[in-house]
Amino acid sequence: NTVIILDLPFMLVFLIAIFLIHNALGAITLFVMLFVMLISFLMSFIINSVLFGTGAEQNREIKVVKEIVSQHETIKLFNYELILEKIWTQIVEYLLPVKKKLQARLHLSQSIMQTVVGLTSVAIIAVGATIVVEGELAVGGLIAANIIAARALAPLIRYISIKPTLQRGING
């Protein structure tokens, strides 16, 4: 995770390199980077709204587990198994669909990011091909721009994919 964060400044170096190859290809890459950041921000807002609603139930789940572990003899003595089982079932029935919804949104976000990376390569090659035909860029420059664009987006995509884990670690 630390390496991924350390790679982030290199995306700017790669972006500058693409702008040095050709301004249009650099503009495409910059637009895609900004678009990816916008999607990430919107998806994290949506995911955080889902997580915010589950806080009370997750705390309740933790309390039930702690009670079961710390007072298992008392629970057996007074036959509280059925009561705790009912409480546990209610918690699970509430949290399971929410967790599935959250996972679906995370997968959707990752799929969108992968699609955007693929479309970036297509856009750079399409625009770059017209620039090559006009004689402003060599084929090797186009190939280099495509590779560097992928390298520029990779740290950003990796950071976005570990961002929820980092947030959970920070929030405790």
Side-chain angles (χ1 to χ4, degrees):
N1 292 348
T2 306
V3 174
I4 293 171
I5 294 171
L6 293 175
D7 279 346
L8 286 175
F10 288 103
M11 73 181 198
L12 293 176
V13 173
F14 292 139
L15 185 62
I16 291 169
I18 296 170
F19 269 108
L20 291 174
I21 293 173
H22 198 277
N23 289 338
L25 301 178
I28 290 170
T29 307
L30 178 63
F31 173 75
V32 169
M33 284 181 166
L34 294 174
F35 183 70
V36 165
M37 287 181 205
L38 177 68
I39 290 173
S40 169
F41 177 73
L42 292 174
M43 291 305 286
S44 67
F45 179 74
I46 291 169
I47 289 169
N48 286 339
S49 67
V50 171
L51 285 176
F52 181 73
T54 63
E57 287 297 319
Q58 287 179 337
N59 288 339
R60 191 171 164 212
E61 178 184 37
I62 292 169
K63 282 182 183 178
V64 169
V65 170
K66 284 182 180 178
E67 280 183 36
I68 291 171
V69 170
S70 66
Q71 301 179 7
H72 64 281
E73 293 167 357
T74 307
I75 292 170
K76 284 184 179 179
L77 183 65
F78 293 107
N79 279 338
Y80 286 144
E81 293 104 348
L82 295 176
I83 295 170
L84 288 175
E85 184 179 339
K86 185 177 179 184
I87 293 171
W88 182 257
T89 304
Q90 290 172 347
I91 293 170
V92 169
E93 285 176 354
Y94 176 78
L95 287 179
L96 192 62
V98 173
K99 288 181 180 181
K100 285 183 181 181
K101 187 177 182 181
L102 181 63
Q103 286 176 344
R105 288 186 180 174
L106 286 172
H107 291 300
L108 174 66
S109 174
Q110 291 172 354
S111 296
I112 290 171
M113 298 300 166
Q114 290 173 352
T115 303
V116 167
V117 169
L119 290 176
T120 302
S121 183
V122 170
I124 286 178
I125 291 174
V127 171
T130 60
I131 295 170
V132 168
V133 169
E134 292 172 359
E136 295 179 33
L137 183 67
V139 175
L142 174 60
I143 293 169
N146 189 29
I147 292 170
I148 294 172
R151 299 279 183 214
L153 286 171
L156 183 62
I157 299 296
R158 283 194 310 259
Y159 172 74
I160 289 170
S161 69
I162 68 162
K163 187 178 172 186
T165 307
L166 290 174
Q167 284 180 337
R168 273 187 259 130
I170 290 170
N171 295 337

